[in-house]
């Protein structure tokens, strides 16, 4: 008889479960702000590099360009992001964080930091450092992979 697959030892499954836990913790810590982790990442990326276009922004936060349009639309509806046509190519829209968006980021930053601490709480300091380094190495090692291509 064929044995079932042992997901408890499968890195992809463990990463997926860790992602679920991280999302739940972030949503708890930022409940008052009505923001998702992707929205928070988009706002931070725009604060770091104002005036990005949607395609560049999507690549920067590792999110597919098609879906990011709806994320940006929600941020714009909340008054946290403004769009404006590029002066050289009117079809291209540039994006900026508004002062209200900056205020939300400032509010959520503490919760995001607490999310990271809570997520890694089961590990000691050395294990935390090691895990972050290893995850960074995995991500860097797959940098050319397009997860949105099917």
């Amino acid at each position: 008889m064929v044995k079932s697959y042992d997901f408890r030892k499968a890195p992809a499954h463990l990463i997926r479960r860790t992602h679920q836990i991280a999302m739940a913790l972030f949503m708890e810590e930022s409940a008052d702000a009505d923001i998702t982790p992707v929205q928070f990442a988009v706002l931070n990326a725009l604060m770091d590099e104002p005036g990005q276009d949607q395609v560049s922004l999507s690549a920067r936060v590792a999110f597919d360009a098609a879906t990011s349009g709806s994320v940006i639309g929600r941020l714009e509806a909340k008054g946290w992001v403004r769009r404006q046509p590029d002066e050289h190519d009117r079809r291209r829209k540039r994006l900026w964080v508004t002062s209200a968006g900056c205020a939300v980021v400032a509010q959520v930053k503490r919760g995001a930091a607490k999310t990271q601490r809570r997520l890694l709480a089961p590990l000691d300091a050395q294990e935390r450092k090691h895990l972050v380094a290893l995850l960074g190495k995995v991500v860097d090692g797959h940098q050319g992979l397009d997860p949105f291509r099917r």
Side-chain angles (χ1 to χ4, degrees):
M1 176 160 193
V2 176
K3 291 179 78 177
S4 66
Y5 188 80
D6 189 357
F7 284 101
R8 294 167 299 167
K9 294 180 183 165
H13 172 73
L14 294 171
I15 290 168
R16 183 185 66 80
R17 283 292 298 131
T18 303
H19 176 258
Q20 290 174 327
I21 294 163
M23 293 285 288
L25 293 172
F26 181 90
M27 297 310 288
E28 280 180 21
E29 294 298 336
S30 63
D32 294 344
D34 186 33
I35 190 170
T36 67
V38 170
Q39 291 172 342
F40 184 63
V42 165
L43 290 172
N44 276 280
L46 284 174
M47 288 174 70
D48 288 344
E49 196 174 313
Q52 291 182 67
D53 65 86
Q54 183 176 318
V55 174
S56 301
L57 176 63
S58 298
R60 182 151 187 206
V61 295
F63 203 64
D64 68 293
T67 307
S68 71
S70 62
V71 172
I72 292 165
R74 285 190 291 280
L75 291 171
E76 190 175 28
K78 291 178 179 186
W80 297 347
V81 165
R82 71 176 168 84
R83 277 187 240 224
Q84 138 179 3
D86 184 294
E87 58 189 46
H88 303 292
D89 181 353
R90 306 292 288 168
R91 295 169 298 172
R92 190 168 152 186
K93 305 293 186 227
R94 299 258 181 209
L95 304 162
W96 284 267
V97 178
T98 65
S99 56
C102 288
V104 169
V105 169
Q107 173 191 348
V108 175
K109 276 172 63 173
R110 287 182 300 280
K114 189 171 180 187
T115 296
Q116 306 311 310
R117 288 191 301 275
R118 287 179 64 195
L119 178 66
L120 299 179
L123 306 176
D124 66 37
Q126 187 60 36
E127 289 170 328
R128 290 179 196 139
K129 215 172 161 180
H130 196 191
L131 177 63
V132 171
L134 289 173
L135 290 171
K137 190 172 184 178
V138 169
V139 170
D140 290 346
H142 294 285
Q143 208 55 45
L145 178 67
D146 182 356
F148 308 110
R149 189 184 62 199
R150 299 195 192 252

